[in-house]
Amino acid sequence: MRFLPREEKFFALLLSQANIILEAASALLAGAQAGNAHLAECAARITKLEQQGDEVIHDLFLRLNQTFITPLDPEDIHSLASHLDDVLDGIEDAIHRMVAYRVEPIPPEVVELCGIVHACAQSLQSAFDALQRDEKLLQHCIEINRQEEKADHLVRRAVEELFEHERDPIKLIKLKEIYEFLEDTTDRCEDVADVLQNVVVKNS
Amino acid sequence: MRFLPREEKFFALLLSQANIILEAASALLAGAQAGNAHLAECAARITKLEQQGDEVIHDLFLRLNQTFITPLDPEDIHSLASHLDDVLDGIEDAIHRMVAYRVEPIPPEVVELCGIVHACAQSLQSAFDALQRDEKLLQHCIEINRQEEKADHLVRRAVEELFEHERDPIKLIKLKEIYEFLEDTTDRCEDVADVLQNVVVKNS
Amino acid sequence: MRFLPREEKFFALLLSQANIILEAASALLAGAQAGNAHLAECAARITKLEQQGDEVIHDLFLRLNQTFITPLDPEDIHSLASHLDDVLDGIEDAIHRMVAYRVEPIPPEVVELCGIVHACAQSLQSAFDALQRDEKLLQHCIEINRQEEKADHLVRRAVEELFEHERDPIKLIKLKEIYEFLEDTTDRCEDVADVLQNVVVKNS
């Protein structure tokens, strides 16, 4: 007989969220690489993944309200799940702007940024996989910080270039916004990494 | 004789903040509905409400520093009060931009967004009322999440439309910013709801 | 013989971060006052300070992972250090946009905003100095809130003016962004002050 709730389920649910994010980031990168003709179907795929993510988070919050013993502080689980949700929202926001603004051709900087978002998603997945296996995860957090900084510099340079060469203010606003939505998504990955590091510090 | 501080006062002060926010959101909606001719007086009303809000939060922080036994963790009370303050600031920011940019006529999307902010403010008020009465408040938090998502979709659609049809870049920037200030205010309402849910999880 | 870790080192490291921020804010203000001809060298100076800041934060996080007894909750130390890091990043972001956008002449509002960032940095430095000496620091937090509000009003007025008089949309976007980066830096200073106040509440 079991008295304890199957508490380890929380780690599995967080990992599910990270897996969904990685799939969404793959679709984002594939869309950017394939160009405008294929962006819309990638966006539709991401919207479906976002709905799956919502179900996972709903399940997780429900359990959190019903479980007495949790493997981490309940508010840390809540915070990790919310921040993962923000990453998925960020990816969805970004691809929807890309679809809506139909910038032709998609600039190489946008493809590169989607690659960085994808790299962050891979590190998130590795970090939550490590969390579940009770393995070290710090190096994955550090990698996310490194990628975020790379995105930061890329966007700074790309926006400067935009102001130097783009004479159409509406196109400038569009591209600037796409860059910033993608960069913001890497910031949100870093937010997850920050909470994770904090959780590790607290529970070590 | 009483030894315990009148601790329940904290809930009353948080509820006061929520009441002030609801009044400000009502003024915002009324202003948007009435059009540019009446916006300025609504903005003046909201500025006064914001000063009242500052007094409440000042009172609350003072008590927090002087009270040993609080009904919730002191840092949670602090966090709830700060986030409520951010909502009020958001409403004030939004109406001031609307006054300053004098977009004529006020587009129906702006009025609709003000309606969503108002709906969020009503749910916040219900949630803090429930907190004081020790009643369930989860459904109000869920409603705020629902409204925030509605605002998100509305703004996404409205901005896409803007890029498709608005040829004046300065008018485009103005409207985009008003949309985003209003959406940001619903995000801030969701932040309060998130902290509230977290507090409920911790204290259940 | 000493069994306890030299825990007070944490306060010294946080104060180092605050000192570096104050130096960066001084370089920012000096750059804005000297005009475009000298901005680039101030930006280079700030980039160097940012790297020093990264080393301090790296040292601090390392110690945090190795120390059992800390003078504050480890997650509060983590949060203070992260938020201080955000301030430094904000200053670096702001000056790099100023360099890249080469707005000639630098408007007086930009210089004034740099002055406010500098005032916030001075109050941060005083606050962390007080934290180390175990002295009262609330008044420095209040001063930061006051400065942040001043920046808020200044930016609101400056952006309104921009929309009224600037006919070149690209120049408008540039200036609006510089104003907002500087204002955002004061918001980040306020975030530090909020965490500090919260820490004081918790440990009083």
Side-chain angles (χ1 to χ4, degrees):
Chain A
M1 198 178 155
R2 268 184 92 96
F3 284 100
L4 284 180
R6 290 193 54 246
E7 45 175 82
E8 67 277 17
K9 187 74 187 167
F10 286 108
F11 291 140
L13 286 169
L14 291 169
L15 182 56
S16 296
Q17 275 190 295
N19 285 329
I20 291 171
I21 287 170
L22 181 53
E23 256 192 86
S26 301
L28 175 74
L29 179 56
Q33 286 170 334
N36 282 305
H38 296 278
L39 262 185
E41 61 192 81
C42 293
R45 172 98 192 92
I46 287 171
T47 300
K48 262 200 197 117
L49 287 164
E50 210 236 338
Q51 285 155 2
Q52 281 179 36
D54 281 348
E55 282 164 36
V56 174
I57 209 174
H58 184 252
D59 187 8
L60 193 147
F61 284 171
L62 214 68
R63 276 169 196 274
L64 206 52
N65 280 306
Q66 294 166 346
T67 309
F68 291 103
I69 301 166
T70 52
L72 303 173
D73 275 355
E75 61 267 37
D76 287 331
I77 297 176
H78 193 280
S79 173
L80 287 171
S82 300
H83 280 94
L84 283 170
D85 193 43
D86 290 343
V87 173
L88 198 50
D89 284 352
I91 292 173
E92 215 227 342
D93 267 345
I95 195 143
H96 271 276
R97 305 287 157 146
M98 284 164 68
V99 170
Y101 297 170
R102 263 162 289 160
V103 179
E104 189 72 50
I106 297 178
E109 289 88 350
V110 170
V111 181
E112 205 180 330
L113 274 169
C114 292
I116 295 178
V117 169
H118 185 255
C120 287
Q122 276 182 314
S123 294
L124 278 181
Q125 203 273 346
S126 303
F128 282 92
D129 190 51
L131 182 70
Q132 192 184 27
R133 296 167 189 274
D134 202 16
E135 290 170 7
K136 291 214 176 284
L137 53 78
L138 192 63
Q139 79 268 31
H140 305 302
C141 296
I142 291 171
E143 175 61 17
I144 291 168
N145 281 298
R146 214 179 59 80
Q147 293 290 346
E148 187 274 337
E149 209 169 312
K150 210 171 127 189
D152 231 52
H153 284 105
L154 199 155
V155 168
R156 185 183 285 177
R157 223 176 44 235
V159 170
E160 286 177 22
E161 189 120 323
L162 218 46
F163 275 114
E164 222 156 308
H165 299 113
E166 183 57 63
R167 292 280 72 85
D168 173 358
I170 290 185
K171 192 167 172 204
L172 183 149
I173 298 171
K174 283 180 176 179
L175 272 172
K176 187 164 168 292
E177 186 162 310
I178 290 173
Y179 293 148
E180 288 169 351
F181 266 97
L182 289 168
E183 189 199 355
D184 189 48
T185 304
T186 67
D187 286 341
R188 293 173 183 208
C189 293
E190 195 179 38
D191 289 342
V192 179
D194 283 347
V195 179
L196 260 181
Q197 278 181 269
N198 221 327
V199 163
V200 169
V201 168
K202 265 170 80 171
N203 292 279
S204 60
Chain B
M1 197 179 156
R2 268 184 94 97
F3 285 100
L4 285 180
R6 289 193 54 247
E7 45 175 81
E8 67 277 16
K9 186 75 189 167
F10 285 108
F11 291 141
L13 286 169
L14 291 170
L15 182 55
S16 296
Q17 274 191 296
N19 284 330
I20 290 171
I21 287 170
L22 182 52
E23 256 192 87
S26 301
L28 175 73
L29 179 57
Q33 285 169 334
N36 282 306
H38 296 279
L39 264 184
E41 62 193 80
C42 293
R45 172 101 192 89
I46 287 171
T47 300
K48 264 202 196 116
L49 286 164
E50 211 236 338
Q51 285 154 2
Q52 281 178 37
D54 281 348
E55 283 164 36
V56 174
I57 209 173
H58 184 251
D59 187 8
L60 193 147
F61 283 172
L62 214 69
R63 276 168 195 274
L64 205 51
N65 280 307
Q66 294 166 345
T67 310
F68 292 102
I69 300 167
T70 53
L72 303 173
D73 275 356
E75 62 265 38
D76 287 330
I77 297 177
H78 193 279
S79 173
L80 287 170
S82 299
H83 280 95
L84 283 170
D85 193 42
D86 289 343
V87 172
L88 198 50
D89 284 351
I91 293 173
E92 215 226 342
D93 268 344
I95 195 142
H96 272 276
R97 305 285 159 148
M98 285 165 67
V99 170
Y101 297 170
R102 262 162 289 159
V103 179
E104 189 72 49
I106 296 178
E109 289 87 352
V110 170
V111 181
E112 206 179 328
L113 274 168
C114 292
I116 295 178
V117 170
H118 185 255
C120 287
Q122 277 182 314
S123 293
L124 279 181
Q125 202 274 345
S126 303
F128 282 91
D129 190 52
L131 182 70
Q132 190 183 29
R133 295 169 189 272
D134 201 17
E135 291 172 3
K136 292 214 175 284
L137 52 80
L138 192 63
Q139 79 268 29
H140 305 302
C141 295
I142 292 172
E143 175 62 17
I144 290 168
N145 282 298
R146 215 179 59 78
Q147 293 291 344
E148 187 275 338
E149 208 168 314
K150 213 172 126 187
D152 232 51
H153 284 105
L154 199 156
V155 168
R156 184 183 286 177
R157 225 178 41 237
V159 170
E160 286 176 21
E161 190 120 323
L162 217 47
F163 276 114
E164 223 156 309
H165 299 113
E166 183 58 63
R167 291 281 71 86
D168 173 359
I170 290 185
K171 191 166 174 206
L172 184 148
I173 298 171
K174 283 179 176 179
L175 272 172
K176 188 164 167 294
E177 187 162 310
I178 290 173
Y179 292 148
E180 287 170 350
F181 266 97
L182 289 167
E183 189 199 355
D184 188 49
T185 303
T186 68
D187 286 342
R188 293 172 183 209
C189 293
E190 194 179 38
D191 289 342
V192 179
D194 282 348
V195 180
L196 259 181
Q197 278 181 268
N198 224 326
V199 164
V200 169
V201 167
K202 265 169 80 172
N203 293 279
S204 62
Chain C
M1 199 178 155
R2 265 184 96 97
F3 285 100
L4 284 181
R6 291 193 52 247
E7 45 177 82
E8 67 278 18
K9 186 76 187 165
F10 286 108
F11 291 141
L13 286 169
L14 291 169
L15 182 55
S16 297
Q17 276 191 295
N19 284 331
I20 291 171
I21 288 170
L22 182 53
E23 255 193 86
S26 300
L28 175 74
L29 179 57
Q33 285 169 335
N36 282 306
H38 296 279
L39 263 185
E41 61 193 81
C42 293
R45 172 100 193 91
I46 287 171
T47 299
K48 261 199 199 119
L49 287 165
E50 212 235 339
Q51 284 155 2
Q52 282 179 35
D54 281 348
E55 283 165 34
V56 174
I57 208 174
H58 183 253
D59 187 9
L60 192 147
F61 283 173
L62 213 69
R63 276 167 195 274
L64 205 51
N65 281 305
Q66 295 165 344
T67 309
F68 291 104
I69 299 166
T70 51
L72 302 173
D73 275 355
E75 62 266 37
D76 287 330
I77 297 177
H78 193 279
S79 172
L80 287 170
S82 300
H83 280 96
L84 283 170
D85 193 42
D86 290 343
V87 173
L88 197 50
D89 284 352
I91 292 173
E92 215 227 342
D93 268 344
I95 195 143
H96 271 276
R97 305 287 158 146
M98 284 165 67
V99 170
Y101 297 171
R102 264 162 288 161
V103 179
E104 190 72 51
I106 296 178
E109 288 87 351
V110 169
V111 182
E112 205 180 329
L113 274 168
C114 292
I116 295 178
V117 170
H118 185 255
C120 287
Q122 277 181 314
S123 293
L124 279 181
Q125 203 273 347
S126 303
F128 282 91
D129 190 52
L131 182 70
Q132 192 184 27
R133 296 168 190 272
D134 201 18
E135 290 171 5
K136 292 216 177 283
L137 53 79
L138 192 63
Q139 79 269 29
H140 305 301
C141 297
I142 292 172
E143 175 61 17
I144 291 168
N145 282 297
R146 215 179 58 79
Q147 293 290 346
E148 187 275 336
E149 209 169 312
K150 210 171 128 189
D152 231 52
H153 284 105
L154 198 155
V155 168
R156 185 183 286 176
R157 225 178 41 237
V159 170
E160 285 177 21
E161 190 121 321
L162 218 46
F163 276 115
E164 223 156 309
H165 299 114
E166 183 57 61
R167 289 283 71 86
D168 173 359
I170 291 185
K171 192 165 174 208
L172 183 148
I173 298 171
K174 283 179 176 179
L175 272 172
K176 188 165 167 293
E177 188 162 307
I178 291 172
Y179 292 148
E180 287 170 351
F181 266 96
L182 289 168
E183 189 199 355
D184 189 48
T185 303
T186 67
D187 286 342
R188 293 171 183 208
C189 294
E190 194 180 38
D191 289 342
V192 179
D194 282 347
V195 180
L196 260 182
Q197 277 181 269
N198 223 324
V199 164
V200 169
V201 167
K202 265 170 81 173
N203 293 281
S204 61

